[in-house]
Amino acid sequence: AQSVTQLGSHVSVSEGALVLLRCNYSSSVPPYLFWYVQYPNQGLQLLLKYTSAATLVKGINGFEAEFKKSETSFHLTKPSAHMSDAAEYFCAVSPHNTDKLIFGTGTRLQVFP
Amino acid sequence: NAGVTQTPKFQVLKTGQSMTLQCAQDMNHEYMSWYRQDPGMGLRLIHYSVGAGITDQGEVPNGYNVSRSTTEDFPLRLLSAAPSQTSVYFCASSPPGTANTGELFFGEGSRLTVL
């Protein structure tokens, strides 16, 4: 079964530092890939998605992710962290020709002043 | 436009009790789904529906029932609650034509505790 693995359940950065959240997928055929963000006591909202068009995908709030087939990765980055970025981030995969979205275990991002 | 609405937001049950978590969306979304979120395990798909009258199982369907009699509503039923079902439950829906591209709109969640 296709899945995603998020390396690091917690990531801490200083305000203004680079944010890098890692996600690797397992699939012989590149699936659709997503990053979602969850703020405290809220539901998830879509940050960005990869659906086999451009490999560098830009999302909301200055985040972007690059699809690398050779590394089976879809890491999320932001050049400069802001305090408001503190949240939990989920990578997710939607295998082709299915109606399911499979989530990773999540990475909690802390931003220190 | 309310989006995806879940009720109740909080619920405490005793083992063996039954209850229904309600989910309604007003966006004419064909695809609806239920997830549970547990610490360290991310979100796991319980059941989903691609349209009225059609439901299917996800990763963790045992102990839960669903039905989809209308496009708007997708209730999740616990027939005999167990402590292992203590979790936060999220309902999510997807616009027409995007069911297989994973663009989900989430409700705010229902926190269930089973004693």
Side-chain angles (χ1 to χ4, degrees):
Chain A
Q2 298 192 17
S3 65
V4 289
T5 301
Q6 292 185 243
L7 298 175
S9 58
H10 290 83
V11 171
S12 298
V13 300
S14 299
E15 192 172 21
L18 172 71
V19 175
L20 172 60
L21 305 182
R22 301 178 186 273
C23 174
N24 289 88
Y25 67 91
S26 63
S27 174
S28 57
V29 176
Y32 297 144
L33 292 160
F34 306 82
W35 277 99
Y36 278 81
V37 61
Q38 184 181 32
Y39 298 104
N41 300 313
Q42 294 187 25
L44 280 71
Q45 62 184 82
L46 182 66
L47 262 182
L48 49 81
K49 64 178 180 178
Y50 167 77
T51 55
S52 71
T55 56
L56 182 62
V57 181
K58 295 187 184 299
I60 61 173
N61 301 335
F63 284 93
E64 62 182 34
E66 185 172 9
F67 173 75
K68 291 187 177 180
K69 183 178 179 180
S70 61
E71 299 177 6
T72 60
S73 68
F74 190 57
H75 301 331
L76 181 71
T77 60
K78 182 174 181 178
S80 177
H82 192 274
M83 297 294 290
S84 61
D85 294 327
E88 189 154 20
Y89 293 79
F90 292 92
C91 183
V93 60
S94 179
H96 286 291
N97 300 318
T98 74
D99 301 311
K100 300 179 182 180
L101 188 62
I102 310 299
F103 286 88
T105 53
T107 298
R108 185 168 298 278
L109 176 66
Q110 287 185 304
V111 182
F112 293 100
Chain B
N1 194 340
V4 179
T5 302
Q6 292 183 233
T7 56
K9 288 188 174 5
F10 301 93
Q11 183 72 49
V12 179
L13 289 179
K14 295 181 180 179
T15 297
Q17 286 185 317
S18 63
M19 77 156 299
T20 299
L21 298 177
Q22 302 289 347
C23 176
Q25 53 87 13
D26 60 359
M27 299 174 284
N28 198 32
H29 288 177
E30 295 169 346
Y31 180 89
M32 296 185 74
S33 55
W34 278 102
Y35 287 85
R36 59 177 289 172
Q37 182 178 24
D38 302 290
M41 304 191 75
L43 281 82
R44 293 178 292 169
L45 181 63
I46 305 172
H47 286 285
Y48 65 100
S49 169
V50 298
I54 305 170
T55 63
D56 207 345
Q57 296 182 348
E59 304 169 79
V60 288
N62 292 341
Y64 307 96
N65 283 347
V66 292
S67 60
R68 185 90 179 273
S69 56
T70 67
T71 299
E72 293 78 19
D73 301 297
F74 191 45
L76 179 71
R77 298 184 184 86
L78 287 72
L79 297 180
S80 179
S84 61
Q85 293 179 304
T86 293
S87 187
V88 181
Y89 292 85
F90 287 98
C91 180
S93 68
S94 185
T98 65
N100 64 345
T101 62
E103 296 181 61
L104 296 178
F105 288 74
F106 281 81
E108 294 188 345
S110 296
R111 185 176 296 274
L112 175 66
T113 301
V114 183
L115 303 175

